[in-house]
């Protein structure tokens, strides 16, 4: 039959990324297109032990229905961690455990976006979040990224002229896809503008704990005095993404509305995962584990950096201090999309940069590579193939 | 700050049920208000074994990101089970693994409901589904339930007069909250009407495998020739609700749209759960397990039936052949809401029937009890307290 889809999803199409991902499952292809944590970063033994103990000691608690807000003990853990580790402790805030941080985008979208409302985002930005906002018929307005974060003049320009802005979406640490970290000055600037124009901020911080160089910069949430910032965190990059456990911190009234939406969305987050993470945070040294992760990522990034510097000089890239992604840019003469397609023929898969734009039909000379999931040898070989391909791009196919 | 919520969620309020649930967590209160499976119905040993093997043999597969559609091996299992066990095998259909069946309501709602569109539902019906549709600003139109399912004349009346109907929502087996099973004749009638007025059917079947008496009636989905029926199934009642694993079967174009929505909603369903269920379905005899469940539920229902017949003659109730719920009705003289509040004072918690209406302000003389989760002695005692309370209702508090 002819399905009459809703207006909000009619425009949602499987993106170019999804088309490219089809090739990524070919075992002969080196995938630099994923957003997966390094497999050797998973605390497998600890999870196995936590799970065995849980299923022995509390089997019914691990299998029965649970509450929508999330396991109270895990909410306490998150609260303690954020206070001690990040200086986040706003009175009047509540915590909601979600099915990955992606669900925070969905629940916040459902709670505050009316069709036609505006969401201001970094340009380029995480396509999963953008698609979630699109699915509520939001108008996305992008603010170009500079080396230290959003262009604040352009941000203010949008906030001043558009009364339908519901929130500003930002990934301040090792942004996806650019790897940019927003400076402390700009974080303060973003908060001040949100206050001036009375709008919310969704601060998405999946990668903050994966910093392997430089100094930690305080979260925007630490500036929050009136429940204006919704902080989005996750255990996907620090423990396991397959578990799908994230957490939102926000003003109590907003979190309560998101709870009602979550009730109608998936009732509660998988409770085995919540218990296992709670046990992991107590039985193991989480700070030590994070330090270990940082070592793993530093080592892997060094492999990528060496390969980029030695075998891919025709590409420019932005050095990073953490996170999962490196943003590479082609010389103007090489058409980006054709380059990415050719990379697949050469058995290397990357993500074309236009996928991260609010309007993916706009021109873009960059693409995203992930250095964390491939094995070191594949990573180096993949980058050298990309380098050679740029260096030897045929003159008759140049722009 | 003053959160400006979206129009679609402004009206969503914590329901009377949630207020009552607060009391249900009091250990002195006998909760007959839950929708939980019987704790002794969980295959704890098998799950423990499957999980241990999984985390030993495929730890990374159990912890890494996975695909939105669901674990391919589990999708195959579901397809095989539905074909062999339920006669469901529509060519052109696809299967999507979801985070519980609740997510099917959400994803279908997002995919097809425009604000102001109509969803036709049974009256009364499952409040979780109704709230999910409400969160997309659907207009809910209820069709009164008869002993063998919806009143088809009233159903046709709505379909004929309303061009904005997007789908009919039905729970044909042991409906929540009434326990009614829709007859084979009415299932055919509902399908014929959906075809005549060109609308979809959401067939929600969480309880079908919990039949402990009478003959299985084929699913509406078995009649489907053109992808008109979206079948919603779940492992919540047969394996574990805390795992949050459901499955949708529907026309490929519709499922693909739901996949895009799920991508932006929670990326994929917890992958440990999907693997464990896949291993359980292969290493254990699922048919035997279901038979064992049916025995457990028959035994528990016999306890409830005996108590209702012997200690609660002032209540009328509808006998059931499966599922989790019994629908009890008070004499007209007793005001239902006051009765339910008094039950809490008497340490018994039930769900007031108006919570399941499309308009909860309408009058209702019934309430829902759950017989599956309390221990046998509590179940009998809870029912006898309800019976005494009805029998001894003070004359000066009658209507």
């Amino acid at each position: 039959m002819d399905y009459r889809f809703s207006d909000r999803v009619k425009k949602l199409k499987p993106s170019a990324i999804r088309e490219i991902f089809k090739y990524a499952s070919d075992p002969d292809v080196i995938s630099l297109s994923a957003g997966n944590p390094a497999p050797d970063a998973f605390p497998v033994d600890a999870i196995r032990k936590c799970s065995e103990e849980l299923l022995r000691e509390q089997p019914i608690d691990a299998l029965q229905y649970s509450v929508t807000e999330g396991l109270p003990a895990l909410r306490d853990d998150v609260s303690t961690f954020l206070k001690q580790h990040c200086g986040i402790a706003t009175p009047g805030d509540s915590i909601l455990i979600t099915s990955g941080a992606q669900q925070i985008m969905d629940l916040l979208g459902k709670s505050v976006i009316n069709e036609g409302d505006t969401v201001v985002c970094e340009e380029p930005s995480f396509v999963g979040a953008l698609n979630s906002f699109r699915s509520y018929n939001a108008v996305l307005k992008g603010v170009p990224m500079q080396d230290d974060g959003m262009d604040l003049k352009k941000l203010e320009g949008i906030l001043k002229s558009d009364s339908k802005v519901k929130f500003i979406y930002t990934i301040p640490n090792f942004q996806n896809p650019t790897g940019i970290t927003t400076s402390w000055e700009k974080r303060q600037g973003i908060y001040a503008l949100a206050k001036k124009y009375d709008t919310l901020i969704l601060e998405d911080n999946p990668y903050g704990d994966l910093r392997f160089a430089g100094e930690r910069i305080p979260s925007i949430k630490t500036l929050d005095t009136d429940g204006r910032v919704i902080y989005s965190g996750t255990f996907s990059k620090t423990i396991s993404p397959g578990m799908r456990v994230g957490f939102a911190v926000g003003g109590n009234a907003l979190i309560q509305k998101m709870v009602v939406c979550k009730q109608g969305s998936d009732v509660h987050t998988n409770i085995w995962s919540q218990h296992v993470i709670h046990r992991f945070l107590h039985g193991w040294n989480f700070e030590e584990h994070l330090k270990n992760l940082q070592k793993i990522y530093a080592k892997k990034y060094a492999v990528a950096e060496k390969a980029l510097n030695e075998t891919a000089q025709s590409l420019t890239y932005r050095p990073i201090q953490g996170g999962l992604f490196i943003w590479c840019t082609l010389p103007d003469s090489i058409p980006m999309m054709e380059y990415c397609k050719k990379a697949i023929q050469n058995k290397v898969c990357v993500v074309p940069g236009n996928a991260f734009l609010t309007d993916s039909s706009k021109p873009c000379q960059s693409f995203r590579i992930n250095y964390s999931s491939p094995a070191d040898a594949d990573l180096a070989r993949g980058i050298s193939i990309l380098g050679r391909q740029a260096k030897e791009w045929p003159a008759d196919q140049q722009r």
Side-chain angles (χ1 to χ4, degrees), chain A residues 178-195:
Chain A
T178 62
I180 290 170
T181 291
T182 300
S183 67
W184 176 232
E185 290 66 34
K186 283 215 166 160
R187 293 181 195 213
Q188 293 170 296
I190 292 167
Y191 182 75
L193 286 174
K195 196 156 190 163

Side-chain angles (χ1 to χ4, degrees), chain A residues 6-13 102 105-110 113-116 119 127-140:
Chain A
S6 65
D7 297 336
R8 76 175 78 81
V9 305
K10 249 183 220 158
K11 301 171 217 160
L12 282 185
K13 279 173 197 155
Q102 181 71 51
M105 322 295 149
D106 186 55
L107 297 177
L108 180 67
K110 188 179 262 191
I113 299 171
N114 278 320
E115 312 218 341
V119 173
V127 62
L130 303 190
N131 275 342
S132 194
F133 309 147
R134 284 182 180 120
S135 80
Y136 292 102
N137 250 344
V139 175
L140 300 180

Side-chain angles (χ1 to χ4, degrees), chain A residues 14-265:
Chain A
S15 67
I17 288 197
R18 292 181 68 89
E19 291 304 299
I20 281 200
F21 276 2
K22 281 183 197 159
Y23 301 100
S25 60
D26 176 345
D28 291 340
V29 168
I30 299 173
S31 171
L32 305 180
S33 57
N36 294 5
D40 52 347
F42 296 151
V44 171
D45 290 337
I47 289 173
R48 197 183 284 138
K49 241 179 199 156
C50 292
S51 175
E52 282 178 13
E53 284 170 12
L54 169 69
L55 291 172
R56 205 167 48 231
E57 296 166 10
Q58 302 177 267
I60 303 305
D61 293 342
L63 299 176
Q64 188 56 283
Y65 277 118
S66 188
V67 292
T68 305
E69 289 82 351
L71 185 69
L74 182 60
R75 293 167 69 208
D76 289 347
D77 294 339
V78 168
S79 168
T80 304
F81 178 80
L82 289 175
K83 206 178 288 178
Q84 294 177 351
H85 193 77
C86 314
I88 294 174
T90 318
D93 271 356
S94 293
I95 291 171
L96 169 63
I97 304 293
T98 56
S99 301
Q102 181 71 51
Q103 193 179 43
I104 299 168
M105 322 295 149
D106 186 55
L107 297 177
L108 180 67
K110 188 179 262 191
S111 295
V112 305
I113 299 171
N114 278 320
E115 312 218 341
D117 277 351
T118 302
V119 173
V120 182
C121 57
E122 296 163 337
E123 180 99 270
S125 185
F126 170 45
V127 62
L130 303 190
N131 275 342
S132 194
F133 309 147
R134 284 182 180 120
S135 80
Y136 292 102
N137 250 344
V139 175
L140 300 180
K141 295 195 177 170
V143 179
M145 287 297 267
Q146 299 169 324
D147 284 341
D148 58 349
M150 276 188 277
D151 180 332
L152 295 193
K153 277 202 183 135
K154 296 224 163 120
L155 173 59
E156 180 155 20
I158 294 171
L159 295 176
K160 194 184 275 180
S161 65
D162 185 344
S163 64
K164 296 184 87 174
V165 174
K166 276 297 168 77
F167 58 88
I168 301 165
Y169 173 64
T170 175
I171 309 170
N173 293 311
F174 324 122
Q175 198 241 15
N176 180 0
T178 62
I180 290 170
T181 291
T182 300
S183 67
W184 176 232
E185 290 66 34
K186 283 215 166 160
R187 293 181 195 213
Q188 293 170 296
I190 292 167
Y191 182 75
L193 286 174
K195 196 156 190 163
K196 183 172 174 188
Y197 294 98
D198 194 23
T199 190
L200 294 167
I201 296 171
L202 173 54
E203 179 179 28
D204 188 13
N205 188 23
Y207 315 114
D209 290 319
L210 303 184
R211 173 182 282 282
F212 51 72
E215 289 299 310
R216 175 181 278 269
I217 299 173
S219 151
I220 302 174
K221 183 70 184 160
T222 62
L223 300 164
D224 193 18
T225 53
D226 53 358
R228 183 175 303 286
V229 182
I230 300 101
Y231 179 88
S232 165
T234 178
F235 293 105
S236 285
K237 312 304 189 266
T238 55
I239 298 181
S240 150
M243 285 188 173
R244 314 300 309 121
V245 180
F247 48 90
V249 186
N252 184 52
L254 180 57
I255 292 289
Q256 286 317 311
K257 195 60 91 174
M258 289 167 69
V259 167
V260 177
C261 291
K262 182 170 167 66
Q263 177 85 24
S265 183

Side-chain angles (χ1 to χ4, degrees), chain A residues 289-303:
Chain A
H289 170 67
L290 292 181
K291 278 184 197 150
N292 184 41
L293 287 192
Q294 288 148 11
K295 270 182 218 155
I296 292 171
Y297 283 90
K299 206 164 144 260
K300 277 205 101 71
Y301 179 63
V303 173

